[in-house]
Amino acid sequence: MANMAQAVRMALHYAEENLGVTDVFGEDVGPPLGGVFTATQGLKTAWNSPLDERGIIGVAMGLAMAGQRPVAEIQFCDYIYNTIDLLKIAGNTCWCTNGDWNLPMVVKTPVGSGIRGSIYHSHSFDATATHIPGWKIVMPSTPLDAYGLMLSACQDDNPVLFLEPKALLRIKGDEPIPGEPADERALSKMIDAPLGDRSAWKPDWPALEPYFVPIGKARLVREGTTLSVVSYGRMLPLCVRAAAALAETGIRAEVIDLRSLWPYDWEAIRDSVEKTGKVLFVNEDTEVTNFGEHLLRRTVEELFYRLLAPPRLLAGKFVPGIGLADPLEAASVPQLSDITEAIRSLAAEQA
Amino acid sequence: MANMAQAVRMALHYAEENLGVTDVFGEDVGPPLGGVFTATQGLKTAWNSPLDERGIIGVAMGLAMAGQRPVAEIQFCDYIYNTIDLLKIAGNTCWCTNGDWNLPMVVKTPVGSGIRGSIYHSHSFDATATHIPGWKIVMPSTPLDAYGLMLSACQDDNPVLFLEPKALLRIKGDEPIPGEPADERALSKMIDAPLGDRSAWKPDWPALEPYFVPIGKARLVREGTTLSVVSYGRMLPLCVRAAAALAETGIRAEVIDLRSLWPYDWEAIRDSVEKTGKVLFVNEDTEVTNFGEHLLRRTVEELFYRLLAPPRLLAGKFVPGIGLADPLEAASVPQLSDITEAIRSLAAEQA
Amino acid sequence: MSERGPSRPRPQLVRAEGEGLGIDRELLVRMHELMVKARVLEERLIQMYKAGHGYFWIGGPGEEAFNVPLGLLMKRGQGPAYDYLHGHYRQSATLLALGEEPVGALRQMKNTATDPYSAGRNFAGHFTKRAWNIAPITSPIEVQYAIAPGTAMAQKRFGGDGITIVTGGDAGTAEGDFASCLVWSSRPGQELPILIIVTNNHWGISTAAATQQGAKSLADRGKAFGMRTASVDGNDVVGSYLALKEAFGYVRSERKPFLMEAMVSRLYGHSSASGANPVPGEVDCIATFEEQLEKGGILNRAAMVQVRERWTKEIGEAARRVRDEPMPAPESIWNNIYKERS
Amino acid sequence: MSERGPSRPRPQLVRAEGEGLGIDRELLVRMHELMVKARVLEERLIQMYKAGHGYFWIGGPGEEAFNVPLGLLMKRGQGPAYDYLHGHYRQSATLLALGEEPVGALRQMKNTATDPYSAGRNFAGHFTKRAWNIAPITSPIEVQYAIAPGTAMAQKRFGGDGITIVTGGDAGTAEGDFASCLVWSSRPGQELPILIIVTNNHWGISTAAATQQGAKSLADRGKAFGMRTASVDGNDVVGSYLALKEAFGYVRSERKPFLMEAMVSRLYGHSSASGANPVPGEVDCIATFEEQLEKGGILNRAAMVQVRERWTKEIGEAARRVRDEPMPAPESIWNNIYKERS
Ligand SMILES: Cc1ncc(C[n+]2csc(CCOP(=O)(O)OP(=O)(O)O)c2C)c(N)n1
Ligand SMILES: Cc1ncc(C[n+]2csc(CCOP(=O)(O)OP(=O)(O)O)c2C)c(N)n1
Ligand SMILES: [Mg+2]
Ligand SMILES: [Mg+2]
């Protein structure tokens, strides 16, 4: 099975061939490197930009205005914070012009911790992003969803932010990308750039098929009745593992992968919480003015009288950075044990 | 009584004379204009900067590193969004260097709607700011609090963000700034720059006295027992008016002016909610990933079993901007009638 | 270009030939008309503001001599075959020169539902017109310089002779985006067909350029990037026309960037926030031009007065019509957040 | 400057005078020693990374010939009377030249609680030392250029001869912050005492400068601002020393900005993310310098080998000591978010 980086790459290839994507660009996105996580290797429209995030976002906007369909990369979301004004403009252009202009553009950027990235390769961007109107925001937790969400992102006529949980980029999926060869070594040979001189290398793309994960649609990953766990990105597989482990103790946690942060699948959350009466939101962004707090607020607003216990948020500690040393990262970002403990304690809570 | 712009100006004068403030700077902050809201007229350390917000924040950091105490202004918070990375660095420098460096600097910037400012003179910044660790964040709703919070900000050894509710800058207070003359025309004559040629003008400062509003301390503005209303900035006086009007109907709303957004006075909120069992949070920032959602989450987390009704948030609509035409602004940002209605309906709610 | 704009009675020509002005008499007359039209429009907008029929004014009186030729030289249309304009909030004369009806600006001033640029959402002077490649004018200073290379890149790729034009003020060049524009426009082997313009009125609100700008000439900032540059008197309409024509020609054919600085006036100060009153001592490009036209025997005073009166009347009537147009509905805030596929 | 750093046995001099190298023999020997020490330190850091005693390496092998003179010329101390350095992540040689002990870098690499720069929080090469005016090195590219004018402004005000130095890579000059630095440093009448440096290794990670930089010389970008500029061979330690000395002298006495570009090598590639292996074809400034020293009769091979061996041994021992030092405690994440008044 493909890993998430390969899935993104294949999606972008499919989008270049079939969805009109004209540019995949950013720092080190083009040859020879093809992206610091290899997600853009071998793409025919990939090119390297100057080291200038403001230029990257600005040029993506300009390209989109001129009928192109760009996919711009910010190498790490940690370096996107000097472009928030431009992201806001990209998000408000359609509204400010009352529909005169729209910007079909995708911004992809790796997010989150888990690769010992220290202070500036561990940021989350979901809180900041969800506060910017006019964008659609997606964040896969599996290679197949990455493929399907990227196709939907590239097809959309609006700005779409594609958040890549960087610790999952090298993780293989359980389900094949439609069209990928059965043998993963064969896939690697076809589409992974060789080490050393790559100047003559060309990928041999498999015959990929369309697969669209609709933006705004969550995935019910694990059914359960004791409580609901709503998460996304890198925290999602940890939630699934915690739920699986706790199943043996009789706690049956339902796990929802939100996949789209904006618009998000409120019906999926509502249905689950109406069933279980208890919900835990999990993400790794810092916990003050956090997107999970929005979800929790809406839960309280609409489902207060269905709740059997206070809805809970498990998120990153509100500290200025994620430290490099393992004990620091573990103390700052939810770990498997924290999630397990949070589920266990919420399950035990009696209103 | 002084208005808030005059109060800020007097605080900065006091801080120049007594707290070591060395620079009050930004676009049009120095002579001849003294700030687009006149808040920096006549200050001896005020100077005009290039039109470059990144430079303004960067230079404030550099000045702070070199032992100066700068107060930097971003002319409207709408134009601060290309500096978020620098604000993050200002906020994380002490932590990243494990205490080696600290940055005693104040950033002041007008926020919010209410002056028919259209899309780019109406932004709120409390949600974005409270997600940035390492800052202290204050937002007065009266001239006296503006004075007292600015003094505390200028005295702090850490970055402090001073949010000025722009619609309140020209509103006079109920309480005098310690040292201001009793006659407000006399004050104006002393410290307001004349129209026309100002090149020879010098202010005649009153003998101001120190008055520090501690950062992190809320103000109980109105006592009540029916429910708690927690707000700050421009929404605060509207909450007070709504509460006063509803008192006649028997609804006794307690109103808390948070004043400091970070750190905030949890004890004040907790005590009030423990008493009333109902709470409405009000601010005018857009409502998705909003700071009020943080306060609401904490309320749910710590006080769930004391709640008599779901805690509520009233905030700005999640639209890309605040439109110029009156009906658009009124539909986007909480109005007095919205607040009144929200209080009334929460008061009526029975769990 | 004569097909642009509704046809109107032409002012009478005194002589067959303009003498010594270096360009065709018909064009001179046309430029004069557009400059006056733009000035009258801006003065009407100011009047509306002062009468309480609008909340904020910002615009371009004092930039007509540069902005009219700019509009006339643009290739109007939609898509990369045509010229893109990434303008700023002093661009009315360019829009009128392209053929835009003035009533739209009045509607935006009055923030009516009929405002064609933003349906009552945005400030005056914030034009947009996708059908003519007019990028939305936004309030944040200088961001257009980061965006403009994107349309130019599409045009380089597309071929043809469409180019991108980006304009902004002098103070704004202190923002990093101005430098980003220079960097992205001059990548070796990937130079962009972009005309980068700075209209230098020597002020940013209340701040004199001389106190903040160490660059002797803003145009010089292009030199390190191997860019062609020029500095022109933007109050001289003939000189501006000729300089712009050369720059357009270069960018169109060479597909390379050109940086131009134009010295202009700020006749009514920064905006309504600074009073929107006439500023003594600023050169008025229309007054100068009218002297030239009279001296050169192109137009006489009476004809010029007539032009102004005609536009005053016509735009005045439009303003009165606009006065009773409806405000946008509250629920319209939810419209057009996204474009949904049709 | 000889009082800096612990005193050590001096390598034996072959001759009394360096011939033709243009600077004092003792200084040459000192610079050689520091260059080797810095190289050995970086090679040890790479080795630690490869052995799993650290998660990420980035550093300055290939910049010693420029960064050592830079550190030697700095006026070390705290406050505006002394020089400020706003460096980037290839600055180890400068720190060592200033007298810093190498063990701190090893501790940061191993992210121990004892790491003097960040207590195990930050990546290797992210120095900070307030006692010597060393501003914290941060990962985001180019932000130091926006910050540095602030310390220079305080120094202009303070008087004296302290200056601010800011350094960064070539690719990073595409960020607007580089331009901001030029703007803020050259405001008319308010020029700042700042030495603005770009170390040009012709790469940004995998991207060749020649594909992105239209500026023929990055130093030229200062010219429009009326700034003194220079472009030097940063692999030539003697040339770098002399050029830097002149630039320091100018900035110290004139209190005006100077922009210097230094051509350097990236001997082990970008970072551990690109393998941290020797890159064929890059000029090694130490090898070149050692040839010069030998030819010039300043040091013989044996003496130079001895220098390297001494540092290899000493730094190796330090690395072994560091290996067993404790990790930071989990609850230490809460320390030093704010400075509280004592
Ligand atoms: C990013 C940003 N910062 C600040 C402002 C507020 N502002 C509006 S116009 C202006 C001055 C602009 O001066 P200049 O660029 O010379 O243009 P001019 O108005 O003189 O044509 C300022 C500071 C803004 N609109 N955007
Ligand atoms: C703002 C920002 N964008 C991207 C990165 C990722 N990054 C780290 S180093 C680097 C290349 C820097 O090149 P250059 O400025 O030439 O310095 P060099 O490493 O060559 O010394 C990049 C893109 C970053 N650290 N900061
Ligand atoms: Mg100007
Ligand atoms: Mg480089």
Side-chain angles (χ1 to χ4, degrees):
Chain A
M1 304 288 173
N3 66 29
M4 195 186 286
Q6 291 171 321
V8 168
R9 206 190 300 159
M10 290 191 280
L12 291 172
H13 170 68
Y14 183 90
E16 282 178 346
E17 297 293 337
N18 302 286
L19 304 176
V21 161
T22 53
D23 298 83
V24 178
F25 75 104
E27 296 156 14
D28 306 294
V29 158
L33 193 58
V36 289
F37 290 100
T38 76
T40 53
Q41 284 181 348
L43 295 169
K44 70 178 185 193
T45 70
W47 52 272
N48 289 334
S49 76
L51 202 176
D52 175 21
E53 287 76 16
R54 293 186 60 73
I56 291 169
I57 301 297
V59 163
M61 293 167 68
L63 285 166
M65 296 179 93
Q68 312 294 292
R69 288 194 162 263
V71 177
E73 175 173 292
I74 299 297
Q75 196 164 72
F76 291 91
C77 83
D78 311 65
Y79 304 126
I80 204 170
Y81 292 92
N82 61 343
T83 73
I84 306 296
D85 63 324
L86 290 169
L87 297 178
K88 285 173 68 72
I89 294 173
N92 72 24
T93 292
C94 191
W95 188 89
C96 289
T97 64
N98 197 32
D100 192 30
W101 289 92
N102 65 298
L103 301 177
M105 56 187 272
V106 177
V107 172
K108 70 187 275 290
T109 188
V111 298
S113 63
I115 63 159
R116 290 163 167 154
S118 184
I119 304 165
Y120 274 97
H121 301 78
S122 299
H123 267 95
S124 291
F125 193 54
D126 38 309
T128 306
T130 52
H131 192 65
I132 304 176
W135 282 77
K136 301 185 180 179
I137 307 165
V138 301
M139 187 164 175
S141 76
T142 70
L144 183 61
D145 279 349
Y147 183 83
L149 287 168
M150 184 57 96
L151 259 49
S152 295
C154 290
Q155 189 184 244
D156 208 283
D157 283 334
N158 302 284
V160 181
L161 184 64
F162 187 93
L163 302 177
E164 298 166 314
K166 68 171 84 73
L168 301 182
L169 280 166
R170 304 233 161 99
I171 307 287
K172 287 169 188 141
D174 297 329
E175 296 162 289
I177 309 302
E180 74 161 299
D183 175 5
E184 67 195 31
R185 272 159 316 177
L187 177 68
S188 173
K189 243 184 152 162
M190 291 168 79
I191 70 165
D192 290 346
L195 295 179
D197 183 17
R198 299 167 170 187
S199 49
W201 173 73
K202 281 203 160 184
D204 168 24
W205 297 103
L208 296 163
E209 286 159 37
Y211 175 79
F212 290 84
V213 172
I215 297 178
K217 200 88 199 82
R219 189 164 58 95
L220 182 61
V221 180
R222 193 184 166 92
E223 277 193 275
T225 49
T226 315
L227 53 75
S228 308
V229 180
V230 179
S231 189
Y232 46 83
R234 181 167 94 90
M235 293 292 112
L236 196 276
L238 297 180
C239 293
V240 173
R241 279 171 61 190
L246 288 169
E248 294 163 21
T249 73
I251 295 170
R252 297 175 56 204
E254 177 146 305
V255 182
I256 292 172
D257 184 352
L258 210 50
R259 301 197 293 192
S260 290
L261 310 193
W262 197 268
Y264 61 87
D265 193 343
W266 172 245
E267 288 65 35
I269 299 173
R270 188 195 54 205
D271 292 352
S272 184
V273 177
E274 285 185 344
K275 179 170 70 173
T276 62
K278 294 181 177 181
V279 58
L280 172 69
F281 298 99
V282 183
N283 68 59
E284 59 172 319
D285 205 338
T286 49
E287 65 181 349
V288 177
T289 312
N290 174 296
F291 177 58
E293 297 183 318
H294 168 72
L295 298 174
L296 191 149
R297 189 260 296 182
R298 186 150 179 203
T299 302
V300 168
E301 201 169 78
E302 300 195 20
L303 303 170
F304 188 73
Y305 299 106
R306 314 289 296 252
L307 292 171
L308 302 176
R312 297 285 180 192
L313 172 70
L314 181 62
K317 297 291 191 298
F318 191 61
V319 289
I322 292 174
L324 177 58
D326 288 343
L328 304 181
E329 177 165 327
S332 306
V333 177
Q335 305 294 307
L336 179 60
S337 57
D338 301 316
I339 298 171
T340 307
E341 186 42 40
I343 294 177
R344 198 200 314 267
S345 97
L346 182 56
E349 191 155 350
Q350 301 295 352
Chain B
M1 303 287 174
N3 66 29
M4 195 187 285
Q6 291 171 321
V8 168
R9 205 189 301 159
M10 289 191 281
L12 291 172
H13 169 69
Y14 184 90
E16 283 177 347
E17 298 294 335
N18 301 286
L19 304 176
V21 162
T22 53
D23 298 84
V24 178
F25 75 104
E27 295 156 15
D28 306 294
V29 158
L33 194 57
V36 289
F37 291 99
T38 74
T40 52
Q41 285 182 347
L43 295 168
K44 70 178 185 193
T45 70
W47 52 273
N48 289 333
S49 76
L51 203 176
D52 175 20
E53 287 76 16
R54 294 185 61 73
I56 292 169
I57 302 297
V59 163
M61 293 166 69
L63 285 167
M65 295 177 95
Q68 310 296 291
R69 288 194 161 262
V71 177
E73 174 174 291
I74 300 297
Q75 196 164 73
F76 291 91
C77 83
D78 311 65
Y79 304 125
I80 204 169
Y81 292 92
N82 62 342
T83 72
I84 307 296
D85 61 323
L86 290 169
L87 297 178
K88 285 173 67 74
I89 294 172
N92 72 25
T93 292
C94 190
W95 189 88
C96 288
T97 64
N98 196 32
D100 192 29
W101 289 92
N102 64 297
L103 301 177
M105 58 188 269
V106 176
V107 172
K108 71 188 272 290
T109 188
V111 299
S113 63
I115 63 156
R116 291 164 166 154
S118 184
I119 304 166
Y120 274 97
H121 302 78
S122 300
H123 267 93
S124 291
F125 194 53
D126 38 308
T128 305
T130 51
H131 191 66
I132 304 176
W135 283 76
K136 302 185 180 180
I137 306 165
V138 300
M139 186 164 175
S141 75
T142 70
L144 183 60
D145 278 349
Y147 184 83
L149 287 168
M150 184 58 96
L151 260 48
S152 294
C154 290
Q155 189 183 245
D156 209 283
D157 283 334
N158 302 283
V160 181
L161 184 63
F162 186 92
L163 302 178
E164 298 166 314
K166 67 171 86 72
L168 301 183
L169 280 167
R170 303 230 160 102
I171 308 287
K172 289 169 185 142
D174 298 328
E175 295 162 291
I177 308 301
E180 72 162 300
D183 176 4
E184 68 197 27
R185 272 159 318 177
L187 176 68
S188 174
K189 244 183 150 165
M190 291 168 79
I191 69 166
D192 289 346
L195 295 179
D197 183 19
R198 299 167 169 186
S199 50
W201 174 72
K202 282 203 158 181
D204 168 23
W205 297 103
L208 296 163
E209 286 159 37
Y211 174 78
F212 290 83
V213 171
I215 297 178
K217 200 88 196 83
R219 187 164 60 93
L220 181 62
V221 181
R222 194 184 165 92
E223 276 194 275
T225 50
T226 316
L227 54 74
S228 308
V229 179
V230 179
S231 188
Y232 45 82
R234 180 167 93 89
M235 292 292 113
L236 197 276
L238 297 179
C239 293
V240 173
R241 278 170 62 192
L246 287 169
E248 295 162 20
T249 73
I251 294 170
R252 298 174 56 203
E254 177 146 304
V255 182
I256 291 172
D257 184 351
L258 211 51
R259 301 195 294 191
S260 290
L261 278 47
W262 197 268
Y264 61 87
D265 192 343
W266 172 245
E267 287 66 36
I269 299 174
R270 189 195 54 208
D271 292 351
S272 183
V273 176
E274 285 185 343
K275 178 170 70 173
T276 63
K278 295 181 177 181
V279 58
L280 172 69
F281 297 99
V282 184
N283 68 60
E284 59 172 319
D285 205 337
T286 49
E287 64 181 348
V288 178
T289 312
N290 174 297
F291 177 57
E293 297 183 320
H294 167 72
L295 297 174
L296 191 151
R297 190 261 295 183
R298 185 149 180 204
T299 303
V300 168
E301 201 168 79
E302 300 196 20
L303 304 170
F304 188 74
Y305 299 105
R306 314 290 293 255
L307 292 171
L308 303 175
R312 297 287 180 191
L313 172 69
L314 181 62
K317 297 291 187 300
F318 191 61
V319 289
I322 291 175
L324 178 57
D326 288 343
L328 303 181
E329 177 164 328
S332 305
V333 178
Q335 305 295 306
L336 178 60
S337 57
D338 301 317
I339 297 171
T340 307
E341 188 40 44
I343 294 177
R344 199 199 314 266
S345 96
L346 183 55
E349 190 155 349
Q350 301 294 357
Chain C
M1 261 156 281
S2 51
E3 77 287 2
R4 291 196 194 143
S7 76
R8 321 200 157 279
R10 287 273 162 73
Q12 277 203 291
L13 300 181
V14 176
R15 283 204 234 171
E17 289 283 329
E19 258 162 33
L21 291 181
I23 50 175
D24 181 72
R25 133 201 94 111
E26 204 177 333
L27 180 56
L28 292 172
V29 170
R30 178 158 186 71
M31 293 203 294
H32 172 259
E33 159 132 17
L34 286 164
M35 287 168 68
V36 170
K37 184 176 176 181
R39 177 71 55 82
V40 167
L41 172 61
E42 292 285 8
E43 286 174 346
R44 172 61 61 170
L45 293 170
I46 291 173
Q47 206 180 316
M48 286 174 71
Y49 163 76
K50 293 193 172 177
H53 296 142
Y55 300 130
F56 181 75
W57 168 81
I58 195 160
E63 302 200 358
E64 297 90 347
F66 187 81
N67 283 339
V68 163
L70 178 62
L72 290 177
L73 287 161
M74 277 179 61
K75 211 177 136 193
R76 192 183 93 182
Q78 185 165 2
Y82 300 90
D83 293 349
Y84 285 91
L85 176 67
H86 300 264
H88 65 146
Y89 46 69
R90 305 203 191 276
Q91 216 71 56
S92 55
T94 309
L95 269 285
L96 294 187
L98 281 162
E100 183 65 334
E101 287 295 328
V103 68
L106 304 170
R107 290 182 161 135
Q108 190 167 43
M109 186 64 182
K110 184 71 174 50
N111 48 86
T112 59
T114 53
D115 154 20
Y117 311 120
S118 68
R121 292 169 178 180
N122 218 337
F123 276 158
H126 287 59
F127 300 97
T128 171
K129 191 157 185 139
R130 189 174 194 166
W132 297 354
N133 280 353
I134 308 298
I137 290 173
T138 62
S139 300
I141 296 286
E142 221 65 6
V143 291
Q144 69 272 27
Y145 289 87
I147 298 168
T151 55
M153 200 177 280
Q155 290 173 308
K156 178 95 171 191
R157 187 177 291 172
F158 179 82
D161 66 357
I163 73 166
T164 287
I165 299 120
V166 57
T167 75
D170 52 300
T173 62
E175 300 269 5
D177 290 348
F178 182 71
S180 287
C181 190
L182 301 177
V183 168
W184 286 75
S185 297
S186 63
R187 294 159 69 221
Q190 322 204 48
E191 295 83 358
L192 299 181
I194 182 169
L195 174 55
I196 306 168
I197 291 171
V198 180
T199 49
N200 187 345
N201 59 20
H202 314 289
W203 291 96
I205 307 187
S206 70
T207 304
T211 63
Q212 305 299 333
Q213 293 281 0
K216 253 177 238 119
S217 151
L218 294 171
D220 285 352
R221 290 191 55 188
K223 288 189 179 155
F225 298 90
M227 229 173 252
R228 263 196 71 181
T229 65
S231 200
V232 307
D233 177 1
N235 273 320
D236 169 7
V237 62
V238 172
S240 294
Y241 182 87
L242 294 174
L244 279 165
K245 196 171 166 195
E246 191 183 337
F248 267 90
Y250 172 82
V251 179
R252 273 204 210 295
S253 59
E254 298 298 316
R255 318 305 287 158
K256 286 194 176 155
F258 192 117
L259 172 59
M260 181 180 285
E261 176 187 29
M263 305 304 175
V264 296
S265 292
R266 211 178 58 165
L267 289 180
Y268 285 84
H270 177 69
S271 71
S272 58
S274 56
N277 296 315
V279 176
E282 291 278 285
V283 175
D284 179 343
C285 59
I286 294 185
T288 318
F289 189 33
E290 293 196 340
E291 267 169 46
Q292 280 182 303
L293 289 172
E294 196 175 20
K295 255 213 210 114
I298 313 287
L299 286 173
N300 63 29
R301 274 291 144 192
M304 295 189 290
V305 167
Q306 201 207 315
V307 172
R308 181 175 277 263
E309 281 172 355
R310 182 157 45 78
W311 285 117
T312 303
K313 183 160 169 287
E314 196 161 310
I315 291 175
E317 280 163 11
R320 273 182 293 280
R321 280 201 310 280
V322 165
R323 213 180 284 168
D324 302 319
E325 289 178 354
M327 292 288 103
E331 62 277 13
S332 74
I333 63 170
W334 299 108
N335 297 346
N336 286 308
I337 295 175
Y338 296 105
K339 160 125 195 268
E340 293 309 342
R341 294 222 148 186
S342 41
Chain D
M1 262 153 284
S2 52
E3 78 285 3
R4 291 195 194 142
S7 75
R8 321 201 156 278
R10 287 273 161 72
Q12 276 204 292
L13 301 182
V14 176
R15 285 207 233 168
E17 290 284 329
E19 258 163 33
L21 290 182
I23 50 177
D24 181 72
R25 138 198 90 111
E26 201 175 335
L27 180 56
L28 292 172
V29 171
R30 178 158 186 71
M31 293 204 292
H32 172 259
E33 160 132 15
L34 286 164
M35 288 167 67
V36 170
K37 182 175 177 182
R39 178 70 55 82
V40 168
L41 171 61
E42 291 286 7
E43 287 174 346
R44 172 61 61 171
L45 293 170
I46 291 172
Q47 205 180 316
M48 285 173 73
Y49 163 76
K50 293 192 172 177
H53 296 142
Y55 301 129
F56 181 75
W57 169 82
I58 195 161
E63 302 200 358
E64 297 89 347
F66 186 81
N67 283 339
V68 162
L70 178 61
L72 290 178
L73 287 160
M74 278 178 60
K75 211 177 135 191
R76 193 183 91 183
Q78 185 166 359
Y82 300 90
D83 292 348
Y84 285 91
L85 176 66
H86 301 263
H88 66 146
Y89 46 69
R90 305 203 191 278
Q91 216 71 55
S92 55
T94 308
L95 269 285
L96 294 187
L98 281 162
E100 183 65 335
E101 287 297 327
V103 69
L106 303 170
R107 290 181 160 135
Q108 189 167 43
M109 185 65 181
K110 184 72 175 50
N111 48 86
T112 58
T114 54
D115 154 21
Y117 311 121
S118 67
R121 294 169 179 181
N122 219 337
F123 276 157
H126 287 59
F127 300 98
T128 172
K129 192 159 185 137
R130 189 173 194 165
W132 296 354
N133 281 353
I134 308 299
I137 290 172
T138 63
S139 300
I141 295 287
E142 219 65 7
V143 291
Q144 68 272 27
Y145 289 87
I147 298 167
T151 53
M153 200 176 279
Q155 291 173 306
K156 179 94 171 194
R157 189 175 289 173
F158 180 83
D161 67 356
I163 72 166
T164 286
I165 300 121
V166 56
T167 76
D170 52 301
T173 62
E175 301 267 6
D177 290 348
F178 183 70
S180 286
C181 191
L182 302 178
V183 168
W184 286 75
S185 298
S186 63
R187 295 161 70 221
Q190 321 204 47
E191 294 83 359
L192 299 181
I194 182 169
L195 174 55
I196 307 168
I197 291 171
V198 180
T199 50
N200 187 345
N201 59 20
H202 313 288
W203 292 96
I205 306 188
S206 70
T207 304
T211 64
Q212 307 297 335
Q213 293 280 0
K216 254 176 236 120
S217 151
L218 293 171
D220 285 352
R221 290 192 54 187
K223 288 189 179 153
F225 298 90
M227 227 172 252
R228 264 195 71 179
T229 65
S231 199
V232 308
D233 176 1
N235 273 320
D236 169 8
V237 62
V238 172
S240 294
Y241 182 87
L242 295 174
L244 279 166
K245 196 171 167 197
E246 191 183 338
F248 268 91
Y250 171 83
V251 179
R252 273 201 209 298
S253 59
E254 299 298 315
R255 316 306 286 159
K256 285 194 176 154
F258 192 116
L259 172 59
M260 181 180 285
E261 176 187 28
M263 306 303 176
V264 297
S265 292
R266 209 176 60 165
L267 288 180
Y268 284 85
H270 176 70
S271 70
S272 57
S274 56
N277 297 315
V279 176
E282 292 277 287
V283 174
D284 179 342
C285 60
I286 294 184
T288 317
F289 189 34
E290 293 197 338
E291 267 169 46
Q292 280 182 303
L293 290 173
E294 196 174 21
K295 254 214 209 116
I298 313 284
L299 286 172
N300 63 27
R301 275 291 144 191
M304 296 189 288
V305 167
Q306 200 205 317
V307 172
R308 182 175 277 264
E309 282 171 354
R310 183 156 46 75
W311 286 117
T312 304
K313 182 157 171 291
E314 196 161 311
I315 291 174
E317 280 164 9
R320 273 183 292 280
R321 280 201 309 280
V322 165
R323 214 182 286 169
D324 302 319
E325 289 178 353
M327 291 289 103
E331 62 278 12
S332 74
I333 63 170
W334 300 108
N335 298 345
N336 286 309
I337 294 174
Y338 296 105
K339 160 125 195 266
E340 294 308 342
R341 295 223 145 183
S342 41

